[in-house]
Short mmCIF file of all heavy atoms in Angstrom, two decimals:
data_model
loop_
_atom_site.label_atom_id
_atom_site.label_comp_id
_atom_site.label_asym_id
_atom_site.label_seq_id
_atom_site.Cartn_x
_atom_site.Cartn_y
_atom_site.Cartn_z
N LEU A 431 22.54 -8.25 -0.20
CA LEU A 431 21.85 -8.96 0.87
C LEU A 431 21.55 -10.41 0.50
O LEU A 431 21.71 -11.34 1.31
CB LEU A 431 20.59 -8.22 1.28
CG LEU A 431 19.79 -8.81 2.43
CD1 LEU A 431 20.58 -8.75 3.73
CD2 LEU A 431 18.46 -8.05 2.60
N THR A 432 21.11 -10.60 -0.72
CA THR A 432 20.68 -11.95 -1.15
C THR A 432 21.84 -12.85 -1.54
O THR A 432 21.63 -13.96 -1.98
CB THR A 432 19.67 -11.87 -2.32
OG1 THR A 432 20.24 -11.04 -3.38
CG2 THR A 432 18.35 -11.27 -1.85
N ARG A 433 23.07 -12.39 -1.39
CA ARG A 433 24.21 -13.25 -1.54
C ARG A 433 24.31 -14.26 -0.40
O ARG A 433 24.88 -15.35 -0.56
CB ARG A 433 25.53 -12.42 -1.61
CG ARG A 433 25.67 -11.60 -2.90
CD ARG A 433 26.87 -10.72 -2.82
NE ARG A 433 26.94 -9.82 -4.00
CZ ARG A 433 27.79 -8.81 -4.10
NH1 ARG A 433 28.67 -8.56 -3.12
NH2 ARG A 433 27.78 -8.04 -5.16
N TRP A 434 23.79 -13.87 0.77
CA TRP A 434 23.83 -14.78 1.94
C TRP A 434 22.46 -15.05 2.53
O TRP A 434 22.33 -15.88 3.44
CB TRP A 434 24.76 -14.20 2.98
CG TRP A 434 24.36 -12.85 3.52
CD1 TRP A 434 24.71 -11.63 2.98
CD2 TRP A 434 23.55 -12.57 4.67
NE1 TRP A 434 24.14 -10.58 3.71
CE2 TRP A 434 23.42 -11.15 4.76
CE3 TRP A 434 22.91 -13.37 5.61
CZ2 TRP A 434 22.69 -10.54 5.77
CZ3 TRP A 434 22.17 -12.74 6.62
CH2 TRP A 434 22.08 -11.35 6.67
N LEU A 435 21.45 -14.41 2.00
CA LEU A 435 20.08 -14.61 2.48
C LEU A 435 19.21 -15.07 1.31
O LEU A 435 19.33 -14.50 0.22
CB LEU A 435 19.54 -13.28 3.06
CG LEU A 435 18.19 -13.32 3.76
CD1 LEU A 435 18.34 -14.01 5.12
CD2 LEU A 435 17.64 -11.90 3.98
N PRO A 436 18.37 -16.05 1.49
CA PRO A 436 17.49 -16.46 0.39
C PRO A 436 16.68 -15.30 -0.13
O PRO A 436 16.13 -14.50 0.65
CB PRO A 436 16.59 -17.52 1.03
CG PRO A 436 17.41 -18.05 2.18
CD PRO A 436 18.19 -16.91 2.69
N GLU A 437 16.55 -15.17 -1.44
CA GLU A 437 15.88 -14.04 -2.02
C GLU A 437 14.45 -13.87 -1.51
O GLU A 437 14.02 -12.71 -1.32
CB GLU A 437 15.89 -14.18 -3.55
CG GLU A 437 15.40 -12.93 -4.27
CD GLU A 437 15.65 -12.99 -5.75
OE1 GLU A 437 16.48 -13.83 -6.20
OE2 GLU A 437 15.03 -12.18 -6.46
N PRO A 438 13.66 -14.97 -1.30
CA PRO A 438 12.28 -14.76 -0.79
C PRO A 438 12.25 -14.09 0.58
O PRO A 438 11.20 -13.58 0.98
CB PRO A 438 11.74 -16.20 -0.74
CG PRO A 438 12.54 -16.92 -1.72
CD PRO A 438 13.93 -16.37 -1.65
N ALA A 439 13.36 -14.12 1.33
CA ALA A 439 13.38 -13.51 2.66
C ALA A 439 13.79 -12.06 2.63
O ALA A 439 13.72 -11.37 3.66
CB ALA A 439 14.36 -14.27 3.57
N GLU A 440 14.17 -11.55 1.47
CA GLU A 440 14.67 -10.18 1.40
C GLU A 440 13.62 -9.13 1.81
O GLU A 440 13.88 -8.24 2.62
CB GLU A 440 15.16 -9.87 -0.04
CG GLU A 440 15.67 -8.46 -0.26
CD GLU A 440 14.58 -7.47 -0.63
OE1 GLU A 440 13.69 -7.85 -1.42
OE2 GLU A 440 14.60 -6.34 -0.15
N ARG A 441 12.41 -9.28 1.27
CA ARG A 441 11.35 -8.29 1.58
C ARG A 441 10.99 -8.34 3.06
O ARG A 441 10.79 -7.31 3.71
CB ARG A 441 10.12 -8.53 0.71
CG ARG A 441 9.07 -7.45 0.84
CD ARG A 441 9.59 -6.14 0.30
NE ARG A 441 8.63 -5.04 0.53
CZ ARG A 441 8.88 -3.78 0.18
NH1 ARG A 441 10.00 -3.46 -0.43
NH2 ARG A 441 7.99 -2.85 0.43
N SER A 442 10.89 -9.53 3.62
CA SER A 442 10.57 -9.65 5.03
C SER A 442 11.63 -9.05 5.91
O SER A 442 11.34 -8.43 6.95
CB SER A 442 10.36 -11.12 5.40
OG SER A 442 9.22 -11.66 4.75
N THR A 443 12.91 -9.19 5.49
CA THR A 443 14.00 -8.58 6.24
C THR A 443 13.89 -7.05 6.22
O THR A 443 14.15 -6.39 7.22
CB THR A 443 15.34 -9.03 5.65
OG1 THR A 443 15.41 -10.46 5.65
CG2 THR A 443 16.52 -8.46 6.43
N TYR A 444 13.52 -6.55 5.04
CA TYR A 444 13.32 -5.08 4.91
C TYR A 444 12.17 -4.62 5.82
O TYR A 444 12.30 -3.58 6.53
CB TYR A 444 13.00 -4.77 3.46
CG TYR A 444 12.64 -3.34 3.18
CD1 TYR A 444 13.58 -2.37 3.07
CD2 TYR A 444 11.28 -2.96 3.01
CE1 TYR A 444 13.26 -1.04 2.79
CE2 TYR A 444 10.94 -1.64 2.77
CZ TYR A 444 11.93 -0.70 2.64
OH TYR A 444 11.60 0.61 2.39
N VAL A 445 11.07 -5.33 5.83
CA VAL A 445 9.93 -5.00 6.67
C VAL A 445 10.33 -5.04 8.13
O VAL A 445 9.95 -4.13 8.93
CB VAL A 445 8.74 -5.96 6.38
CG1 VAL A 445 7.63 -5.76 7.42
CG2 VAL A 445 8.20 -5.72 4.98
N LEU A 446 11.07 -6.06 8.53
CA LEU A 446 11.50 -6.17 9.92
C LEU A 446 12.40 -5.03 10.31
O LEU A 446 12.22 -4.44 11.39
CB LEU A 446 12.21 -7.52 10.10
CG LEU A 446 12.78 -7.79 11.51
CD1 LEU A 446 11.68 -7.80 12.56
CD2 LEU A 446 13.53 -9.13 11.53
N ALA A 447 13.36 -4.71 9.47
CA ALA A 447 14.28 -3.61 9.77
C ALA A 447 13.55 -2.27 9.88
O ALA A 447 13.82 -1.44 10.76
CB ALA A 447 15.35 -3.52 8.71
N SER A 448 12.56 -2.04 9.01
CA SER A 448 11.76 -0.81 9.07
C SER A 448 11.00 -0.73 10.37
O SER A 448 10.93 0.32 11.00
CB SER A 448 10.82 -0.75 7.87
OG SER A 448 11.53 -0.70 6.66
N SER A 449 10.41 -1.85 10.77
CA SER A 449 9.64 -1.89 12.02
C SER A 449 10.52 -1.61 13.21
O SER A 449 10.16 -0.86 14.15
CB SER A 449 8.94 -3.22 12.15
OG SER A 449 8.00 -3.45 11.12
N LEU A 450 11.70 -2.20 13.24
CA LEU A 450 12.62 -2.00 14.35
C LEU A 450 13.08 -0.56 14.42
O LEU A 450 13.27 0.01 15.53
CB LEU A 450 13.84 -2.94 14.21
CG LEU A 450 13.50 -4.45 14.39
CD1 LEU A 450 14.78 -5.27 14.15
CD2 LEU A 450 12.91 -4.73 15.75
N ALA A 451 13.31 0.07 13.27
CA ALA A 451 13.71 1.48 13.24
C ALA A 451 12.60 2.35 13.81
O ALA A 451 12.87 3.32 14.54
CB ALA A 451 14.05 1.92 11.79
N LEU A 452 11.35 2.01 13.52
CA LEU A 452 10.22 2.76 14.07
C LEU A 452 10.07 2.52 15.57
O LEU A 452 9.78 3.45 16.31
CB LEU A 452 8.92 2.38 13.34
CG LEU A 452 8.74 3.01 11.97
CD1 LEU A 452 7.47 2.46 11.31
CD2 LEU A 452 8.67 4.54 12.04
N ILE A 453 10.24 1.29 16.00
CA ILE A 453 10.14 0.99 17.43
C ILE A 453 11.20 1.77 18.22
O ILE A 453 10.93 2.31 19.29
CB ILE A 453 10.31 -0.55 17.66
CG1 ILE A 453 9.09 -1.28 17.10
CG2 ILE A 453 10.50 -0.84 19.14
CD1 ILE A 453 9.26 -2.81 17.06
N LEU A 454 12.38 1.88 17.65
CA LEU A 454 13.44 2.68 18.29
C LEU A 454 13.02 4.14 18.35
O LEU A 454 13.22 4.82 19.37
CB LEU A 454 14.75 2.55 17.50
CG LEU A 454 15.97 3.24 18.09
CD1 LEU A 454 16.37 2.59 19.42
CD2 LEU A 454 17.15 3.18 17.12
N LEU A 455 12.41 4.64 17.29
CA LEU A 455 11.94 6.01 17.29
C LEU A 455 10.87 6.23 18.36
O LEU A 455 10.92 7.23 19.09
CB LEU A 455 11.37 6.35 15.90
CG LEU A 455 10.91 7.81 15.66
CD1 LEU A 455 11.12 8.19 14.21
CD2 LEU A 455 9.42 7.99 15.99
N PHE A 456 9.93 5.30 18.46
CA PHE A 456 8.87 5.43 19.51
C PHE A 456 9.47 5.45 20.90
O PHE A 456 9.07 6.22 21.77
CB PHE A 456 7.90 4.25 19.41
CG PHE A 456 7.17 4.11 18.10
CD1 PHE A 456 6.75 2.87 17.65
CD2 PHE A 456 6.90 5.23 17.33
CE1 PHE A 456 6.07 2.76 16.46
CE2 PHE A 456 6.23 5.12 16.12
CZ PHE A 456 5.81 3.89 15.66
N ALA A 457 10.50 4.60 21.13
CA ALA A 457 11.06 4.47 22.47
C ALA A 457 11.91 5.68 22.86
O ALA A 457 11.89 6.12 24.04
CB ALA A 457 11.91 3.21 22.52
N LEU A 458 12.62 6.28 21.90
CA LEU A 458 13.58 7.35 22.23
C LEU A 458 13.11 8.74 21.85
O LEU A 458 13.82 9.70 22.10
CB LEU A 458 14.93 7.06 21.52
CG LEU A 458 15.60 5.73 21.89
CD1 LEU A 458 16.92 5.62 21.12
CD2 LEU A 458 15.80 5.59 23.38
N TRP A 459 11.90 8.85 21.34
CA TRP A 459 11.39 10.16 20.90
C TRP A 459 11.36 11.17 22.04
O TRP A 459 10.98 10.84 23.16
CB TRP A 459 10.00 9.97 20.31
CG TRP A 459 9.41 11.24 19.72
CD1 TRP A 459 8.49 12.07 20.31
CD2 TRP A 459 9.74 11.84 18.47
NE1 TRP A 459 8.22 13.11 19.50
CE2 TRP A 459 8.97 13.02 18.36
CE3 TRP A 459 10.62 11.51 17.44
CZ2 TRP A 459 9.04 13.85 17.25
CZ3 TRP A 459 10.69 12.33 16.35
CH2 TRP A 459 9.90 13.47 16.22
N ARG A 460 11.75 12.41 21.74
CA ARG A 460 11.77 13.47 22.74
C ARG A 460 10.79 14.58 22.32
O ARG A 460 11.10 15.38 21.43
CB ARG A 460 13.18 14.08 22.83
CG ARG A 460 14.28 13.11 23.19
CD ARG A 460 14.25 12.76 24.67
NE ARG A 460 15.42 12.02 25.05
CZ ARG A 460 16.55 12.54 25.50
NH1 ARG A 460 16.69 13.87 25.55
NH2 ARG A 460 17.56 11.76 25.85
N PRO A 461 9.64 14.66 22.97
CA PRO A 461 8.69 15.76 22.66
C PRO A 461 9.30 17.13 22.91
O PRO A 461 10.17 17.26 23.81
CB PRO A 461 7.53 15.48 23.62
CG PRO A 461 7.61 14.01 23.91
CD PRO A 461 9.10 13.67 23.90
N LEU A 462 8.90 18.12 22.16
CA LEU A 462 9.50 19.45 22.23
C LEU A 462 8.66 20.46 23.00
O LEU A 462 9.16 21.48 23.46
CB LEU A 462 9.70 20.01 20.82
CG LEU A 462 10.48 19.13 19.83
CD1 LEU A 462 10.49 19.74 18.45
CD2 LEU A 462 11.90 18.92 20.32
N GLY A 463 7.35 20.17 23.15
CA GLY A 463 6.46 21.12 23.83
C GLY A 463 6.05 22.26 22.93
O GLY A 463 6.56 22.44 21.81
N GLY A 464 5.14 23.10 23.41
CA GLY A 464 4.68 24.27 22.65
C GLY A 464 3.55 23.95 21.71
O GLY A 464 3.46 22.84 21.17
N VAL A 465 2.66 24.92 21.48
CA VAL A 465 1.51 24.77 20.62
C VAL A 465 1.58 25.78 19.50
O VAL A 465 1.73 26.98 19.73
CB VAL A 465 0.18 24.94 21.39
CG1 VAL A 465 -1.02 24.86 20.44
CG2 VAL A 465 0.06 23.87 22.47
#
């Protein structure tokens, strides 16, 4: 990743990607029902 992205931006890119993956999960989550 840091071959084309400045190394100081690597962690922020990781944090952003993790957040976007979670946002996708929140948006598309399918509850199953049942207790």
Side-chain angles (χ1 to χ4, degrees):
L431 182 64
T432 52
R433 290 173 186 170
W434 59 274
L435 187 73
E437 190 170 343
E440 178 273 320
R441 188 66 186 179
S442 294
T443 303
Y444 174 80
V445 169
L446 178 60
S448 298
S449 298
L450 293 177
L452 282 176
I453 291 170
L454 184 66
L455 184 148
F456 299 152
L458 301 182
W459 184 258
R460 301 284 189 91
L462 307 174
V465 176

